[in-house]
């Protein structure tokens, strides 16, 4: 059995409500409670705001089954010379999290009366949403899952750890897109912005020392009807935060008052001696996570298709219109492609039996690499076992500690993972915002700096601003990497991708990564670029070195598919015409249909609406995917239509009309108004 132990200290004032001095909380087993109570009381008595005259300590039994475990946010530290500069950093981060007017949010916090809790504010309208405006919303019932070794140390570390726990809970609350926090402790000037989009960003200074005023704003984007559920989550759901990282340090010079992470034991942190490992509980965390996914409409089922991809597929005994496949050009089941696969399979067997560097290399590998390079206009290419493997192989080979990677906020997970694996500092710029990239490139120096972006964004269907990106990259000397997974065979007049799309004639990006499993209908991935770089990747690309060579069948298939793509550019034209027609038809229904590729997001906002709409469409004979967190931000759920060259006119009319109807019906199912204002594409 676990308990929430909470301390609240205050002092009476002549008129009005007692002044709040300090508050803190832990989750503990019963045996740990007395020591914790003592520590919390001591802490109240030593607070910088002065001596309290009342200290409340509460012990509340928790329902163990209701305890939710969430991962901590990744944390980084941003140094600055003044509070003004810090607030500017905070504004940039809020914008990155999707808050349209960060200046107004900061002004709101600075102008507000002191609250015990946080303001809950609509990210777009800035309306106050919390039920009690004098008190604010309290995030409570939370702690670190495990005492993370040495949690002791200076004031600064304790402030940070508590804030990291609170921010993780807040960022896991439904429909919260960001949090801004300034401490009310007069001597503690470090604050933070947190967001599910990028994690926890400590900012060295958000106020001048000596000011006993601070506050928190939680930014909400979601339906009004769901506010109560968000508040209930924040105030009543017990949460344990796993793997809270140590405080990220500020740049050596002039770190913030009180923010240095000093080693040493922390009398305020207590381990939990009453929690022996119970073997029956071994998988409790898995059960809890699955239950939570289910409750939030995030549980994933896998559809089983009983036919090859095509405009129509067999599913659960019915023929459905397929509006959800990366087989854009209809090549996966083209007989010339399957024949290419069969020939390779017959000649070379089912598997290569070794890494490319040992005994896995076939003549077909080199042939496909040369053809991919030539088609895209690169000097050389190197095959990987998937597009994912290409990104997680490439980025760590190019960048490491001491380097900086600038990554678009909406990049694919494989890029995100490649960035993380590299160990480089990862700086996320606002989606497709080249002014932001320019600003960040000016701020972040590194031994080597690289910018990486999807060419076509996989969940939004928009195209990267390549001319802008190349200009910023040239100005700052950045290496450029573009992932053309959804661009090859899709954009550009003959399907050659983003360079052709923009009609660029000068030097393009340095390096491309891509996939053989989308427009080419096969399997595998690649990197293309300068020959010396692919040569280097043979040694430094770990996902290349330590994987068995791509097997013969997909290599044979991709070779045949590439031949067809080269010989039949009309397929690309057909795909583009289909996408344009589908978008136009959606617009007639008043839907937004953003983007300009073969991917068309149909925004639902609410996760449940997306899932219900996908179900309605399936009932009408159309297979489409509901895309939800964590693939996209919470509250930005959508149906993701992917068009094909072989969709017929009637298919597209049906699909667009049914999509509009399904979204309307789904919104009505949940008592929501017909259009969702809060579900614009995130940027
Ligand atoms: N829920 C909601 N709001 C809260 C809560 C809570 N549990 N606790 C405090 N607040 C609000 C309240 O308005 C306070 O005035 C304000 O936040 C600041 O609270 O990485 O110490 O406890 O080193 O002063 C940031 C650490 C420390 C940065 C923040 O906040 C770092 C801090 P404080
Ligand atoms: Mg405080």
């Amino acid at each position: 059995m676990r308990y929430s132990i909470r301390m609240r200290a205050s002092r009476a004032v002549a008129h009005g409500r007692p002044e709040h001095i300090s508050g803190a909380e832990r989750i503990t087993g019963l045996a740990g409670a007395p020591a914790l109570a003592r520590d919390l009381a001591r802490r109240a008595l030593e607070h910088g705001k002065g001596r309290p005259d009342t200290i409340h300590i509460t012990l509340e039994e928790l329902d163990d089954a209701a305890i939710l475990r969430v991962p901590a946010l990744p944390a980084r530290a941003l140094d600055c010379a003044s509070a003004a500069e810090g607030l500017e950093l905070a504004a940039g981060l809020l914008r990155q999290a999707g808050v349209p007017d960060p200046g107004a949010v900061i002004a709101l916090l600075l102008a507000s009366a002191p609250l015990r809790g946080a303001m809950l504010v609509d990210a777009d309208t800035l309306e106050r949403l919390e039920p009690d405006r004098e008190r604010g919303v309290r995030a409570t019932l939370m702690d670190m899952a495990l005492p993370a070794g040495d949690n002791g140390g200076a004031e600064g570390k304790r402030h940070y750890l508590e804030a990291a726990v609170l921010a993780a809970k807040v960022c896991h609350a439904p429909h919260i897109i960001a949090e801004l926090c300034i401490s009310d402790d007069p001597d503690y000037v470090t604050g933070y912005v947190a967001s599910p989009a990028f994690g926890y960003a400590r900012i060295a200074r958000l106020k001048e020392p000596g000011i006993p005023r601070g506050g928190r704003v939680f930014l909400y984007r979601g339906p009004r009807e769901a506010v109560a559920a968000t508040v209930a989550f924040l105030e009543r759901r017990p949460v344990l935060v796993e793997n809270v990282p140590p405080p990220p340090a500020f740049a050596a010079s002039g770190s913030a008052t009180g923010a240095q992470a000093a080693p040493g034991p922390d009398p305020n942190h207590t381990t939990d001696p009453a929690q022996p490992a119970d073997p029956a509980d071994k998988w409790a965390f898995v059960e809890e996570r699955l239950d939570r996914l289910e409750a939030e409409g995030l549980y994933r089922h896998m559809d089983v298709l009983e036919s090859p991809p095509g405009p129509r597929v067999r599913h659960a005994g019915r023929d459905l219109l397929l509006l959800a496949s990366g087989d854009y050009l209809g090549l996966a089941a083209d007989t010339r492609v399957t024949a290419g696969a069969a020939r390779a399979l017959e000649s070379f067997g089912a598997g290569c039996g070794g890494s490319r560097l040992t005994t896995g290399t076939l003549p077909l590998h080199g042939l496909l690499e040369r053809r991919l390079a030539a088609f895209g206009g690169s000097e050389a290419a190197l095959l990987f076992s998937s597009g994912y493997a290409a990104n997680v192989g490439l980025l760590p080979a190019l960048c490491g500690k001491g380097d900086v990677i600038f990554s678009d906020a909406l990049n694919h997970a494989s890029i995100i993972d490649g960035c993380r694996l590299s160990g480089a500092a990862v700086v996320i710029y606002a989606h497709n915002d080249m002014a932001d990239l320019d600003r960040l490139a000016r701020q972040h120096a590194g031994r080597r700096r690289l910018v990486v972006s999807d060419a076509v964004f996989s969940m939004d269907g928009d195209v990267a601003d390549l001319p802008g990106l190349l200009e910023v990259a040239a100005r700052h000397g950045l290496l450029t990497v573009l992932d053309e997974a959804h661009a090859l065979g899709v954009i550009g007049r003959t399907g050659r991708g983003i360079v052709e799309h923009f009609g660029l004639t000068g030097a393009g990006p340095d390096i491309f990564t891509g996939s053989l499993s989308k427009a080419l209908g096969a399997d595998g991935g690649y990197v293309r670029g300068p020959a010396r770089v692919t040569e280097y990747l043979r040694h430094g690309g770990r996902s290349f070195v330590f994987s068995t060579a791509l097997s013969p069948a997909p290599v044979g298939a991709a070779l045949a598919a590439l031949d067809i793509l080269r010989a039949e550019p009309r397929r690309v034209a057909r795909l583009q015409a289909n996408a344009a027609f589908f978008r136009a038809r959606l617009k007639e229904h008043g839907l937004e249909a953003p983007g300009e590729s073969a991917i068309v997001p149909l925004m639902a906002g609410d996760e449940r609406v997306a899932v219900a709409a996908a179900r309605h469409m399936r009932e009408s004979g159309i297979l489409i995917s509901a895309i939800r967190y964590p693939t996209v931000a919470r509250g930005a759920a959508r149906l993701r239509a992917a068009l094909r060259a072989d969709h017929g006119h009637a298919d597209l009319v049906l699909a667009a009309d049914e999509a509009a109807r399904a979204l309307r019906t789904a919104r009505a199912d949940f008592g929501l108004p017909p259009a969702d204002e809060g579900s614009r594409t995130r940027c």
Side-chain angles (χ1 to χ4, degrees), residues 91 99 119 127 134 156 158-159 219 221-222 233 260 290 292 385 400 442 448 467 514 521 570 598:
V99 177
M119 286 183 260
E127 255 171 285
E134 297 225 328
R158 202 195 65 210
H159 272 100
L219 291 148
R221 177 176 285 142
F233 179 88
Q260 294 91 344
L290 288 171
R292 171 151 195 242
S385 36
R442 246 179 290 124
R448 185 158 43 247
R570 63 175 182 278

Side-chain angles (χ1 to χ4, degrees), residues 138-202:
R138 290 279 301 173
T140 186
L141 305 185
M142 62 208 172
D143 200 351
M144 282 184 270
L146 279 178
D150 165 30
N151 283 329
E155 258 312 73
K157 187 160 181 189
R158 202 195 65 210
H159 272 100
Y160 159 79
L161 288 171
E162 291 183 355
V165 166
L166 184 146
K169 179 170 187 188
V170 169
C171 286
H172 282 86
H175 305 296
I176 297 293
I177 64 165
E179 179 197 352
L180 167 66
C181 168
I182 303 178
S183 174
D184 57 19
D185 192 328
D187 302 323
Y188 201 82
V189 299
T190 300
Y192 67 88
V193 174
S195 164
F198 53 73
Y200 183 98
R202 305 182 86 183

Side-chain angles (χ1 to χ4, degrees), residues 20-23 47 49 159 183-185 216:
H20 174 72
I21 303 243
S22 162
H47 197 273
K49 270 166 77 177
H159 272 100
S183 174
D184 57 19
D185 192 328
R216 279 186 159 91

Side-chain angles (χ1 to χ4, degrees), residues 614-674:
R615 199 181 55 241
H616 291 316
M617 286 187 74
R618 183 164 310 184
E619 283 155 11
S620 324
I622 300 169
L623 193 52
I624 190 168
S625 314
I627 307 288
R628 290 158 274 171
Y629 175 86
T631 308
V632 295
R634 279 181 197 270
R638 64 199 65 182
L639 299 178
R640 174 180 179 273
L643 299 172
R644 302 172 54 93
D646 53 15
H647 278 139
H649 180 79
D651 294 335
L652 299 171
V653 170
L654 175 75
D657 295 359
E658 285 301 320
R661 200 184 54 84
L663 281 167
R664 233 180 8 249
T665 313
R667 295 188 63 75
D669 291 346
F670 294 99
L672 301 173

